[in-house]
Amino acid sequence: MATEQQCEQALHALADRLAANNGSVRNAGFDRTLSCSLRDLGIVYAGRLKDGHLIDIARAESREAKVRLTMTSDDLLALVDGGLKMSSAWATGRVKVEAGVRDLLKLRSIF
C-alpha cells in the first residue's frame, strides 16, 4: 500500500504530465471538477480538469465532483508511472469512473 505522500506526489506528477502533453485544441473548454478516492487509505483528493490540465489538487472531505475516480493507492501509482493503462484498469474494475457519457469520451482524449 502506497503512502498518502506518495499518492499526492503521483497526482502532481500526473498534472505535470498532462500539462506537458497538452497542446490539443479539442480539450479547450473542458472544465470539470474531479475527485480521486483511494479505497485502501480512506482518503479523497479533489482537483479540476481545465482545458486538459489537472489543477488545484488538494485533499478533500467529499468525493462530490462531476468526474469521480475510485481506486487503490497502488493502482494510482501504477497508472501514473505507466505500469497500468487506464482503459484496462477501468475494464477490469481496478478503477471505477463515475461521469457523464460526454465526460467519459473527453477523458479518453486526456488520459
Side-chain angles (χ1 to χ4, degrees):
M1 178 169 34
T3 66
E4 182 178 345
Q5 182 180 13
Q6 288 173 311
C7 292
E8 188 167 342
Q9 289 172 344
L11 287 169
H12 286 283
L14 175 62
D16 292 343
R17 190 173 74 208
L18 290 174
N21 291 339
N22 190 28
S24 174
V25 174
R26 65 183 170 188
N27 293 327
F30 186 67
D31 188 0
R32 298 289 185 273
T33 54
L34 176 128
S35 69
C36 180
S37 300
L38 302 171
R39 292 186 300 256
D40 54 340
L41 296 178
I43 59 176
V44 177
Y45 286 96
R48 185 176 230 34
L49 281 169
K50 183 168 177 63
D51 300 328
H53 293 92
L54 180 57
I55 59 173
D56 301 332
I57 302 165
R59 190 156 172 195
E61 295 297 317
S62 170
R63 63 184 299 264
E64 290 303 314
K66 293 283 185 184
V67 176
R68 294 176 301 282
L69 305 173
T70 304
M71 66 191 78
T72 66
S73 59
D74 288 336
D75 286 339
L76 172 63
L77 296 184
L79 281 169
V80 172
D81 75 15
L84 179 63
K85 300 293 180 206
M86 182 62 137
S87 57
S88 63
W90 176 74
T92 59
R94 290 175 68 176
V95 173
K96 182 177 177 184
V97 180
E98 298 173 71
V101 174
R102 288 184 181 175
D103 292 344
L104 287 171
L105 293 172
K106 184 58 84 169
L107 286 172
R108 286 181 52 200
S109 71
I110 294 173
F111 290 102

